[in-house]
C-alpha cells in the first residue's frame, strides 16, 4: 500500500494554487472586457443617436424646438374697478386663498400629524365652526387613512389674507418644511362688492365665456362696461437664458380701466328698496326703474328686479333698455311735436272727443272713459287716445311717414350710446299706414325702450335741451384720469315756451282733478309725469293678453324746478294695486320723498339755523323773588332754544314718533320716513340718540356700537 508523502502533498497544493490564480485572472479579464464592451456599445449608441439627432433628423428636432420657443402664452390683465359717482368702490378685485393639504407628500410627517391632529382640529373648530372639532377630526383622518392619498385636499376655501396669517400658525400646518405638512396655498382674485346684495343687483357678475376661459361680465354693469373693465390681453413666449428657459413678454397686458359711473349709491339703495317693497305689495312679476339727473343726463340709479321660482328677488334682464310697446307715456312726445309743428297752440282749445273715432279703416279708437270734449291740456291730463289721434291727424293725415320723420329729426331714433350693453333702439315703421300712424300717436304699433322715452321727458324738464343719458362719468388707469363731458343728442328739440307748456300739462296729470295720477298729488315733492298702460303681447300667438299689463309712470321732480327725471315700469301685478299710478307712480313718489328727506332736491336742512348768532351764557342769576321763576323759565326757553330728545316711546311734543334706538342707519331712515319725518344725521354706525329738532325733522346721532 502506497501512502502520500509530505513532498507529494506540497506539490499538489502548489499546482492547485497556480490553477486558482489563473482562473481568477481570467474572470477579471472577462469582466473587464465585458464592461469595456458595454461601454463601447453604449458610447456607440450615444454617438449614433447624436448623429441621428444632429444630422439625419436635424430638421425634425429644429422644428420641434421652434414650435416650443414659438409657443405663445397669454397674460391676463387685471380687471378694473367700478366706482360710484363720488369715488366709492362698488366692485373691486380682492385676493383670496384656498388652503390645500398634500397627504401623498413623500416627506409627510405622519407621526407629527397624529400627535398634532387634536390641536389642529381645535383651532379649525374655533375659527371655522361649520364643523365641530370631532367632525374636523373625522374629515382629516379619513384623508390620512385613505389608501390612495389625496394630493390636493381642499381644507379651506376663499379665506382672506388676514385669515391666512392665522391659519399659517395652526398646529402641524406651521411646520417650517411644508413638504412635511403637505401645506399648500392657492391664491386667486375674486370680484367683491363692499355693499353686498344691495348694489349687486345692478352691478352684476363676471364669469367665463362659452368659447374661452376668459372672465368677462355676464350681467349688470359688469357686462355693460366689460370692454372698458377687461383691459387688453398680453402675450409671452419662452426664451433661452444662461441657466434656464424664461418667459419674455412680447406684449405686456394692459389692465382694465377703473370706471367711475354716474351711479349714486344712496339713490341706488333707495330705488331697489322701493321696487322690492312695491313687488311685495302687489305681487308683480318684475319691475324696472331708472333715475336720471336732468341737467347732465347722468343715470343716478338703475334697477331691474324680478321674483324667481323660490320667491327671491334677483337681478333681472335690463328692461330699461328693452323695446316694448310703450302705451300712453308716448302721448307727451306726440303732443310736443304737435306744439312744435303748430298743430295746436292754445292749451285751452277744446277738442271734440265722443265715444269713438273711426280712422284709417281699422277698429275705431276709444278711450277708457267717455268725454264729449276735452281741452288740449285735458287730453294729456285724462290720457285720451281719441284726442291725441285727432291732434296728430291734423298735420299728418296725408303724410303718415312725415310723423315718423319728425321722430328722426329730433334724434329719437339715433343710437343713444348710454354705456348700457343691452341697449336697443326704438322700432318704428319708417313708412306707416294712416291707421298705424294714428296708433303710434298714443303708444301702440311701436316698440320703444323706457330709457328713450325718459330722455324726451328729461329734455322737456331741461327746457328743450336733449342731453344724452350716460352711465360712465370718467375713466382712470395708471395715474391717468379722464372726465367725460356731458353731450347732447340734439342741442334742442323744442322751444323753451313749448317745453314750459309741456311741463304744465304733465303737472296737471298729478295736480288736476281728473288727472290719471291724481293720487300722487299730496306728495311732499310736486311731481309731473304721465301714466301708461299697455297689454302684454304674446310673441308666440301674436295676440294681446288682456290679463297681463305693463304699467308705466314717467316724469320728473320737483315739477316747478326739475332736478331728476324717472321712469318706472311694472309688469303684471296680481293683488292690491292694479293701476299705473298706484304701482309705478307710487315708487316715484316714495323715491322723491326719500330724496327730499336726504337733501337731494336743494332743500338742505341745517338744524343750527334757529340758534342765535351769539350763544347766551348759561350762567343766569337766581331770581330775587319767588314770583320771578316763571319769567326766568320763559327767558331760558327763548335764549337756549332747548330741544326735546326722543325717548323710546316718543317725546312730549310728538308721541307718535317711533323709536329707532340701536338701529342701523338704513333701517332707521326707512322707519322714520314712513312715519313722515325728514331725517338728518351725524356720525357712523348705529343710532345712539334721536332728537326732534322741528315738528317733522329728526336729528339722528350715530356711533359705532
Amino acid at each position: 500500500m502506497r501512502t502520500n508523502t509530505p513532498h507529494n502533498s506540497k506539490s499538489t497544493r502548489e499546482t492547485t494554487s497556480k490553477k486558482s490564480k489563473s482562473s481568477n485572472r481570467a474572470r477579471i479579464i472577462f469582466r473587464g472586457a465585458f464592461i469595456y464592451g458595454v461601454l463601447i456599445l453604449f458610447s456607440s449608441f450615444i454617438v449614433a443617436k447624436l448623429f441621428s439627432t444632429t444630422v439625419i433628423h436635424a430638421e425634425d428636432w429644429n422644428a420641434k424646438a421652434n414650435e416650443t420657443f414659438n409657443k405663445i402664452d397669454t397674460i391676463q390683465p387685471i380687471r378694473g374697478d367700478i366706482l360710484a359717482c363720488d369715488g366709492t368702490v362698488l366692485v373691486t378685485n380682492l385676493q383670496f386663498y384656498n388652503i390645500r393639504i398634500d397627504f401623498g407628500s413623500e416627506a409627510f410627517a405622519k407621526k407629527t400629524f397624529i400627535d398634532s391632529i387634536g390641536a389642529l382640529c381645535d383651532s379649525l373648530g374655533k375659527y371655522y365652526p361649520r364643523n365641530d372639532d370631532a367632525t374636523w377630526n373625522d374629515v382629516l383622518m379619513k384623508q390620512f387613512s385613505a389608501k390612495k392619498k389625496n394630493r390636493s385636499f381642499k381644507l379651506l376655501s376663499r379665506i382672506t389674507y388676514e385669515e391666512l396669517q392665522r391659519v399659517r400658525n395652526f398646529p402641524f400646518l406651521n411646520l417650517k418644511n411644508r413638504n412635511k405638512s403637505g401645506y399648500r396655498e392657492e391664491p386667486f382674485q375674486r370680484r367683491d362688492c363692499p355693499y353686498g346684495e344691495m348694489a349687486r343687483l345692478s352691478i352684476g357678475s363676471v364669469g367665463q365665456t362659452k368659447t374661452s376661459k376668459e372672465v368677462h361680465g355676464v350681467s349688470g354693469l359688469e357686462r355693460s362696461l366689460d370692454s372698458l373693465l377687461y383691459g387688453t390681453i398680453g402675450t409671452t413666449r419662452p426664451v433661452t437664458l444662461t441657466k434656464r428657459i424664461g418667459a419674455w413678454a412680447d406684449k405686456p397686458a394692459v389692465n382694465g380701466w377703473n370706471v367711475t359711473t354716474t351711479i349714486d349709491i344712496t339713490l341706488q339703495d333707495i330705488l331697489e328698496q322701493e321696487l322690492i317693497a312695491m313687488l311685495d305689495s302687489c305681487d308683480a312679476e318684475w319691475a324696472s326703474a331708472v333715475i336720471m339727473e336732468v341737467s347732465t343726463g347722468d343715470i343716478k340709479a338703475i334697477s331691474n328686479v324680478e321674483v324667481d321660482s323660490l320667491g327671491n328677488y334677483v337681478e333681472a334682464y335690463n328692461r330699461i333698455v328693452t323695446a316694448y310697446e310703450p302705451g300712453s307715456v308716448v302721448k307727451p312726445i306726440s303732443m310736443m311735436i304737435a306744439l312744435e309743428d303748430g298743430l295746436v297752440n292754445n292749451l285751452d282749445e277744446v277738442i271734440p272727443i265722443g265715444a269713438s273715432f273711426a280712422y284709417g279703416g281699422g277698429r275705431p279708437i276709444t278711450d277708457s272713459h267717455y268725454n264729449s270734449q276735452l281741452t288740449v291740456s285735458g287730453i294729456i291730463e285724462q290720457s285720451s287716445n281719441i284726442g291725441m289721434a285727432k291732434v296728430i291727424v291734423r298735420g299728418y293725415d296725408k303724410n303718415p311717414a312725415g310723423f315718423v320723420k319728425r321722430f328722426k329729426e329730433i334724434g329719437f331714433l339715433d343710437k343713444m350710446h348710454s354705456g348700457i350693453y343691452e341697449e336697443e333702439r326704438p322700432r318704428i315703421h319708417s313708412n306707416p299706414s294712416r291707421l298705424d300712424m294714428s296708433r303710434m300717436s298714443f303708444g301702440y304699433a311701436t316698440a320703444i325702450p323706457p330709457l328713450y322715452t325718459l330722455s324726451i321727458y328729461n329734455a322737456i324738464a331741461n327746457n328743450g335741451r336733449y342731453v344724452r343719458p350716460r352711465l360712465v362719468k370718467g375713466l382712470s388707469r395708471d395715474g391717468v384720469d379722464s372726465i367725460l363731458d356731458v353731450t347732447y343728442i340734439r342741442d334742442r328739440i323744442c322751444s323753451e315756451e313749448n317745453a314750459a307748456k309741456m311741463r304744465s300739462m304733465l303737472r296737471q296729470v298729478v295736480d288736476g282733478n281728473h288727472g290719471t295720477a291724481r293720487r300722487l298729488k299730496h306728495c311732499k315733492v310736486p311731481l309731473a309725469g304721465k301714466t301708461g298702460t299697455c297689454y302684454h303681447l304674446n310673441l308666440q300667438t301674436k295676440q294681446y293678453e288682456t290679463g297681463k299689463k305693463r304699467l308705466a309712470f314717467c316724469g320728473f321732480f320737483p315739477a316747478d324746478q326739475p332736478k331728476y327725471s324717472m321712469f318706472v315700469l311694472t309688469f303684471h301685478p296680481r293683488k292690491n294695486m292694479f293701476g299705473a299710478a298706484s304701482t309705478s307712480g307710487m315708487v316715484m313718489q316714495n323715491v322723491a320723498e326719500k330724496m327730499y328727506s336726504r337733501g337731494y332736491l336743494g332743500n338742505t336742512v341745517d338744524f343750527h339755523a334757529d340758534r342765535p348768532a351769539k350763544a347766551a351764557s348759561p350762567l343766569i342769576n337766581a331770581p330775587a323773588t319767588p314770583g320771578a321763576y316763571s319769567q326766568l323759565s320763559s327767558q331760558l326757553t327763548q335764549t337756549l332754544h332747548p330741544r326735546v330728545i326722543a325717548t323710546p316711546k316718543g317725546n312730549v311734543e310728538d308721541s307718535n314718533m317711533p323709536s329707532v334706538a340701536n338701529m342701523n342707519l338704513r333701517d332707521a331712515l326707512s322707519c322714520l320716513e314712513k312715519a313722515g319725518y325728514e331725517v338728518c344725521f351725524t356720525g357712523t354706525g348705529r343710532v345712539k340718540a334721536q332728537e326732534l329738532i322741528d315738528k317733522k325733522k329728526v336729528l339722528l346721532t350715530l356711533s359705532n356700537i
Side-chain angles (χ1 to χ4, degrees):
M1 182 176 180
R2 182 182 293 179
T3 61
N4 292 329
T5 64
H7 176 77
N8 291 336
S9 177
K10 182 178 180 181
S11 176
T12 301
R13 286 196 300 271
E14 289 177 353
T15 302
T16 303
S17 176
K18 289 179 180 181
K19 290 181 179 181
S20 175
K21 288 179 180 180
S22 177
S23 177
N24 288 339
R25 183 178 180 184
R27 283 196 297 272
I28 291 172
I29 292 173
F30 175 76
R31 289 176 181 176
F34 179 78
I35 292 172
Y36 287 136
V38 170
L39 290 175
I40 290 171
L41 289 175
F42 185 69
S43 299
S44 299
F45 175 78
I46 292 175
V47 171
K49 192 67 176 176
L50 182 63
F51 180 80
S52 174
T53 302
T54 58
V55 178
I56 299 175
H57 297 101
E59 292 184 1
D60 295 337
W61 285 106
N62 288 334
K64 289 184 178 181
N66 291 333
E67 182 181 348
T68 300
F69 284 101
N70 290 331
K71 184 179 179 181
I72 303 298
D73 290 327
T74 59
I75 306 173
Q76 293 298 319
I78 298 175
R79 192 172 180 85
D81 297 339
I82 299 178
L83 311 175
C85 60
D86 60 354
T88 302
V89 176
L90 296 178
V91 64
T92 187
N93 302 300
L94 293 182
Q95 186 86 350
F96 291 94
Y97 300 85
N98 292 332
I99 303 301
R100 297 182 181 273
I101 296 180
D102 179 7
F103 282 94
S105 174
E106 292 77 4
F108 193 83
K110 298 180 180 179
K111 185 177 184 305
T112 306
F113 175 78
I114 295 298
D115 294 340
S116 305
I117 190 170
L120 174 59
C121 293
D122 180 66
S123 298
L124 290 169
K126 178 180 179 181
Y127 292 104
Y128 301 96
R130 62 176 179 269
N131 294 327
D132 56 22
D133 297 7
T135 305
W136 276 116
N137 186 85
D138 293 342
V139 169
L140 294 177
M141 286 303 298
K142 181 179 179 180
Q143 297 295 327
F144 177 74
S145 304
K147 292 182 178 180
K148 186 177 181 180
K149 304 297 184 183
N150 191 335
R151 300 300 302 265
S152 186
F153 171 70
K154 184 185 288 187
L155 179 67
L156 300 170
S157 61
R158 203 191 172 196
I159 66 173
T160 64
Y161 182 74
E162 181 181 358
E163 293 176 292
L164 179 69
Q165 298 299 314
R166 182 168 57 229
V167 170
R168 285 173 174 172
N169 293 317
F170 280 5
F172 185 69
L173 303 183
N174 59 1
L175 296 179
K176 292 183 178 180
N177 187 345
R178 291 188 175 180
N179 289 326
K180 292 185 177 182
S181 63
Y183 176 83
R184 298 289 183 271
E185 295 172 0
E186 186 180 79
F188 66 95
Q189 286 195 338
R190 187 183 181 97
R191 300 290 274 179
D192 190 77
C193 178
Y195 286 89
E197 293 303 317
M198 182 274 293
R200 176 60 64 188
L201 289 173
S202 291
I203 290 170
S205 59
V206 298
Q208 294 181 347
T209 64
K210 294 180 179 180
T211 56
S212 70
K213 294 184 178 180
E214 296 175 5
V215 176
H216 290 277
V218 296
S219 65
L221 295 181
E222 291 278 19
R223 183 175 179 181
S224 302
L225 307 175
D226 187 69
S227 60
L228 295 171
L229 294 167
Y230 185 72
T232 305
I233 296 176
T235 57
T236 182
R237 60 183 175 83
V239 294
T240 54
L241 302 177
T242 304
K243 294 184 178 180
R244 61 186 178 86
I245 296 177
W248 178 267
D250 283 337
K251 179 184 176 183
V254 179
N255 296 334
W257 288 96
N258 297 323
V259 178
T260 301
T261 69
T262 57
I263 296 295
D264 184 305
I265 195 67
T266 302
L267 297 187
Q268 183 69 37
D269 184 24
I270 292 173
L271 185 61
E272 288 181 8
Q273 283 190 69
E274 291 305 324
L275 283 183
I276 291 173
M278 187 266 292
L279 291 178
D280 272 337
S281 299
C282 67
D283 191 28
E285 288 189 19
W286 54 258
S288 298
V290 58
I291 302 172
M292 191 161 71
E293 190 174 55
V294 168
S295 60
T296 63
D298 287 354
I299 297 172
K300 308 305 291 184
I302 182 170
S303 185
N304 301 273
V305 184
E306 67 181 14
V307 184
D308 65 10
S309 58
L310 300 177
N312 300 317
Y313 298 106
V314 297
E315 172 69 14
Y317 182 74
N318 197 342
R319 296 182 172 92
I320 289 299
V321 290
T322 303
Y324 296 104
E325 275 190 327
S328 294
V329 289
V330 164
K331 289 174 184 172
I333 305 177
S334 299
M335 185 63 77
M336 182 194 71
I337 292 175
L339 286 170
E340 282 293 296
D341 291 352
L343 305 183
V344 290
N345 291 301
N346 182 6
L347 300 189
D348 295 325
E349 178 189 350
V350 176
I351 307 291
I353 303 299
S356 64
F357 175 43
Y359 181 80
R363 285 181 57 184
I365 301 170
T366 59
D367 287 337
S368 60
H369 54 278
Y370 175 81
N371 283 292
S372 61
Q373 60 184 22
L374 287 171
T375 63
V376 171
S377 180
I379 290 173
I380 298 298
E381 178 183 345
Q382 299 194 45
S383 194
S384 171
N385 297 339
I386 297 173
M388 195 68 256
K390 284 188 173 183
V391 168
I392 293 301
V393 164
R394 287 181 178 183
Y396 298 101
D397 177 44
K398 297 181 180 180
N399 182 23
F403 185 55
V404 177
K405 184 179 178 181
R406 290 291 286 119
F407 281 89
K408 292 180 180 179
E409 289 173 352
I410 65 175
F412 188 67
L413 304 185
D414 292 356
K415 183 70 174 177
M416 191 166 285
H417 300 294
S418 63
I420 301 176
Y421 176 80
E422 303 92 345
E423 179 187 302
E424 296 180 6
R425 296 171 68 177
R427 297 193 294 272
I428 300 178
H429 198 291
S430 60
N431 188 23
S433 65
R434 293 168 67 244
L435 176 65
D436 287 342
M437 180 269 294
S438 66
R439 268 56 176 176
M440 287 178 185
S441 67
F442 54 84
Y444 281 82
T446 60
I448 301 173
L451 186 62
Y452 276 77
T453 303
L454 177 63
S455 69
I456 298 293
Y457 280 69
N458 194 82
I460 292 171
N462 199 26
N463 281 323
R465 300 203 68 192
Y466 195 7
V467 67
R468 186 184 304 278
R470 64 174 187 172
L471 192 62
V472 179
K473 183 179 180 180
L475 304 172
S476 61
R477 181 173 63 189
D478 300 330
V480 176
D481 293 327
S482 62
I483 303 299
L484 305 182
D485 295 331
V486 174
T487 60
Y488 294 85
I489 298 174
R490 295 289 187 275
D491 183 65
R492 184 170 296 281
I493 61 172
C494 68
S495 66
E496 291 189 15
E497 179 184 0
N498 285 334
K501 289 180 180 179
M502 289 305 308
R503 290 197 297 272
S504 173
M505 283 189 273
L506 292 171
R507 178 78 178 267
Q508 282 301 108
V509 174
V510 177
D511 291 350
N513 293 331
H514 303 286
T516 56
R518 58 187 178 275
R519 69 174 295 155
L520 308 177
K521 181 176 181 178
H522 300 292
C523 177
K524 293 179 182 178
V525 181
L527 305 178
K530 183 70 184 73
T531 55
T533 302
C534 193
Y535 293 122
H536 175 65
L537 178 64
N538 189 314
L539 297 178
Q540 294 181 346
T541 64
K542 304 298 182 182
Q543 299 292 321
Y544 286 104
E545 297 180 3
T546 57
K548 293 184 177 182
K549 295 179 180 179
R550 286 190 304 276
L551 306 172
F553 190 81
C554 186
F556 44 82
F557 54 89
D560 47 356
Q561 293 181 337
K563 293 184 179 296
Y564 295 92
S565 59
M566 185 172 176
F567 194 112
V568 186
L569 187 63
T570 305
F571 180 66
H572 192 205
R574 287 164 286 199
K575 67 178 184 180
N576 298 331
M577 302 175 293
F578 302 95
S582 60
T583 54
S584 298
M586 286 302 297
V587 171
M588 181 169 166
Q589 180 185 40
N590 293 337
V591 168
E593 288 184 343
K594 287 192 174 183
M595 290 175 66
Y596 177 82
S597 69
R598 287 165 168 79
Y600 275 90
L601 305 181
N603 58 304
T604 304
V605 177
D606 183 1
F607 63 90
H608 296 286
D610 59 342
R611 291 190 176 181
K614 183 178 181 180
S617 172
L619 300 177
I620 300 177
N621 294 328
T625 61
Y629 275 104
S630 59
Q631 182 180 356
L632 175 60
S633 176
S634 176
Q635 179 185 356
L636 282 169
T637 302
Q638 295 175 6
T639 304
L640 300 179
H641 296 274
R643 301 184 179 90
V644 180
I645 298 178
T647 64
K649 295 182 179 180
N651 58 56
V652 176
E653 292 189 20
D654 190 352
S655 59
N656 295 320
M657 183 171 68
S659 172
V660 293
N662 292 326
M663 288 186 182
N664 60 47
L665 179 59
R666 180 175 178 175
D667 293 340
L669 288 173
S670 177
C671 181
L672 290 171
E673 286 168 351
K674 285 182 180 178
Y677 291 88
E678 297 174 21
V679 182
C680 52
F681 61 91
T682 61
T684 59
R686 292 184 174 271
V687 177
K688 182 179 181 182
Q690 63 188 96
E691 182 179 359
L692 190 66
I693 58 177
D694 202 345
K695 290 183 179 180
K696 285 294 182 179
K697 295 178 182 177
V698 180
L699 170 65
L700 300 181
T701 303
L702 311 178
S703 69
N704 290 307
I705 57 175

